[in-house]
């Protein structure tokens, strides 16, 4: 065990340390203790992290670990860990690995038998979801959207029938184009929540049908500024999505085939959504 002041950290251990996404008061005491007492901090941007450390009077040495060098530097850090060094991994803001570097290092640590200790803490995904007013029992985090329109539309098409709340990160300079692509695929009635500048002075959480949200966004250029999280309500199959003749076909086919196969064939025959047929079958067929 290595010890400084009143806090101890384990030797040969990688700590995953979330840092504030805006409000410095959101950092936990445990995170501060770990950052102050490890031997080394692996940071996405050492200059950014140094400002955080200076604010809390922490003098621990930092080491740059980012998207462009993580795979090359992982072996070096694992050697140090195996030699007894304690290391904290931080990103610029929020929880490391969540659309931030760290996966390769943690994966390699697990393979090498190095102890990994994750700390709970700030995360824009969870912060936005908890305040959005959309269903939170099932959700998917989709990260950043593709930079090109075709890629975005393809992604939205893949997710159009997903019944979970979907969460995306998006940048200010692409938010308008991304919402336009979403509108083209999902339509104007899909409920969408825009959460921007979370925990900061100009925090905004605004939800509306997609068509109305786009209009609202265009009313004030300030609404397209800052770090953004998009939360999209999952698909909800309406009764009219399943015509009576499709249900009759499904009822006949399911007598001879597994429900999943029967739903797929019925969808092909009648041009309806197989996921909606499958769900209806689960709820209504013996």
């Amino acid at each position: 065990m290595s010890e400084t002041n009143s806090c101890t950290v384990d030797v040969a251990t990688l700590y995953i340390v979330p840092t504030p996404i805006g409000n410095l008061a959101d950092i936990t005491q445990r995170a501060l203790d770990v950052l102050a007492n490890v031997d080394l901090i692996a940071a996405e941007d050492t200059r950014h992290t140094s400002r955080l450390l200076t604010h809390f009077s922490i003098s621990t040495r930092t080491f740059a670990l980012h998207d462009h060098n993580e795979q090359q530097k992982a072996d070096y850090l694992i050697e140090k860990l195996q030699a007894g060094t304690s290391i904290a991994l931080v990103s610029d803001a929020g929880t490391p690995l969540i659309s931030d570097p760290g996966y390769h290092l943690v994966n390699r640590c697990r393979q090498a038998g190095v102890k990994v200790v994750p700390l709970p803490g700030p995360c824009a995904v969870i912060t936005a979801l908890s305040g959005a007013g959309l269903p939170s029992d099932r959700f998917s985090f989709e990260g950043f959207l593709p930079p090109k329109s075709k890629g975005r539309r393809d992604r939205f098409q893949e997710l159009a029938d997903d019944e979970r709340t979907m969460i995306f990160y998006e940048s200010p300079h692409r938010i308008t184009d991304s919402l336009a692509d979403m509108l083209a695929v999902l339509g104007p009635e899909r409920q969408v929540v825009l959460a921007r500048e979370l925990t900061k002075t100009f925090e905004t959480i605004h939800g509306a049908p997609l068509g109305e949200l786009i209009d609202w966004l265009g009313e004030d250029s300030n609404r397209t500024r800052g770090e953004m999280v998009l939360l999209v309500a999952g698909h909800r199959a309406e009764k009219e999505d399943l015509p009576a003749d499709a249900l009759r076909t499904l009822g006949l086919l399911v007598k001879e085939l597994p429900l999943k196969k029967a739903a797929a064939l019925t969808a092909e025959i009648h041009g309806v959504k197989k996921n909606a047929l499958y769900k209806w079958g689960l709820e209504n067929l013996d």
Side-chain angles (χ1 to χ4, degrees):
M1 301 285 286
S2 62
E3 183 170 355
T4 305
N5 299 323
S6 61
C7 175
T8 60
V9 296
D10 292 336
V11 299
T13 300
L14 176 68
Y15 291 87
I16 312 302
V17 182
T19 54
I21 59 176
N23 191 326
L24 291 178
D26 290 335
I27 198 165
T28 68
Q29 185 60 53
R30 185 183 178 199
L32 291 174
D33 289 344
V34 168
L35 292 175
N37 289 283
V38 291
D39 299 310
L40 181 66
I41 298 172
E44 181 180 7
D45 185 332
T46 55
R47 294 167 299 179
H48 183 95
T49 298
S50 69
R51 293 193 289 272
L52 175 72
L53 299 179
T54 298
H55 179 83
F56 289 106
S57 301
I58 294 172
S59 58
T60 306
R61 185 165 59 94
T62 60
F63 176 89
L65 188 78
H66 45 72
D67 283 330
H68 303 295
N69 76 350
E70 182 183 355
Q71 295 191 57
Q72 291 73 30
K73 297 299 183 181
D75 287 340
Y76 167 76
L77 291 176
I78 289 172
E79 287 177 5
K80 293 188 74 65
L81 286 159
Q82 290 175 327
T85 302
S86 58
I87 299 176
L89 174 67
V90 301
S91 58
D92 287 349
T95 300
L97 283 77
I98 309 302
S99 284
D100 278 326
Y103 161 73
H104 296 289
L105 176 60
V106 173
N107 180 261
R108 295 288 303 281
C109 283
R110 289 295 185 190
Q111 292 176 0
V114 172
K115 184 178 180 181
V116 178
V117 176
L119 276 62
C123 179
V125 175
I126 302 304
T127 303
L129 180 64
S130 65
L134 293 178
S136 56
D137 54 334
R138 297 177 64 237
F139 64 93
S140 66
F141 174 55
E142 301 294 330
F144 282 97
L145 287 162
K148 302 294 185 180
S149 178
K150 184 182 184 306
R152 288 193 295 266
R153 293 194 181 205
D154 288 346
R155 177 74 60 81
F156 292 140
Q157 194 64 56
E158 292 172 2
L159 298 170
D161 294 335
D162 197 321
E163 297 183 353
R164 299 170 295 177
T165 295
M166 295 166 281
I167 308 174
F168 305 88
Y169 285 162
E170 191 49 287
S171 61
H173 70 277
R174 287 206 299 258
I175 185 65
T176 300
D177 291 340
S178 290
L179 289 176
D181 290 328
M182 187 185 295
L183 178 69
V185 176
L186 302 183
E189 299 304 317
R190 184 70 69 101
Q191 189 75 14
V192 178
V193 176
L194 172 66
R196 56 177 291 273
E197 293 292 84
L198 290 170
T199 79
K200 301 176 185 176
T201 302
F202 298 105
E203 175 180 283
T204 304
I205 301 175
H206 184 81
L210 180 52
E212 296 179 19
L213 181 67
I214 291 173
D215 291 339
W216 174 83
L217 203 64
E219 292 170 0
D220 185 347
S221 61
N222 288 321
R223 294 171 179 170
T224 61
R225 295 179 180 176
E227 301 294 327
M228 297 188 176
V229 183
L230 282 173
L231 303 100
V232 182
H235 173 72
R236 293 292 178 264
E238 300 294 338
K239 188 173 182 179
E240 57 266 27
D241 288 344
L242 302 175
D245 55 346
L247 297 180
R248 284 194 295 270
T249 300
L250 180 64
L252 292 171
L253 290 176
V254 81
K255 294 177 181 179
E256 305 294 335
L257 298 169
L259 176 58
K260 188 173 182 180
K261 180 65 173 177
L265 288 173
T266 302
E268 186 174 348
I269 293 168
H270 294 279
V272 296
K273 296 172 180 175
K274 64 180 179 181
N275 289 345
L277 285 165
Y278 182 73
K279 182 179 179 181
W280 185 92
L282 289 175
E283 295 173 351
N284 294 277
L285 298 176
D286 295 331

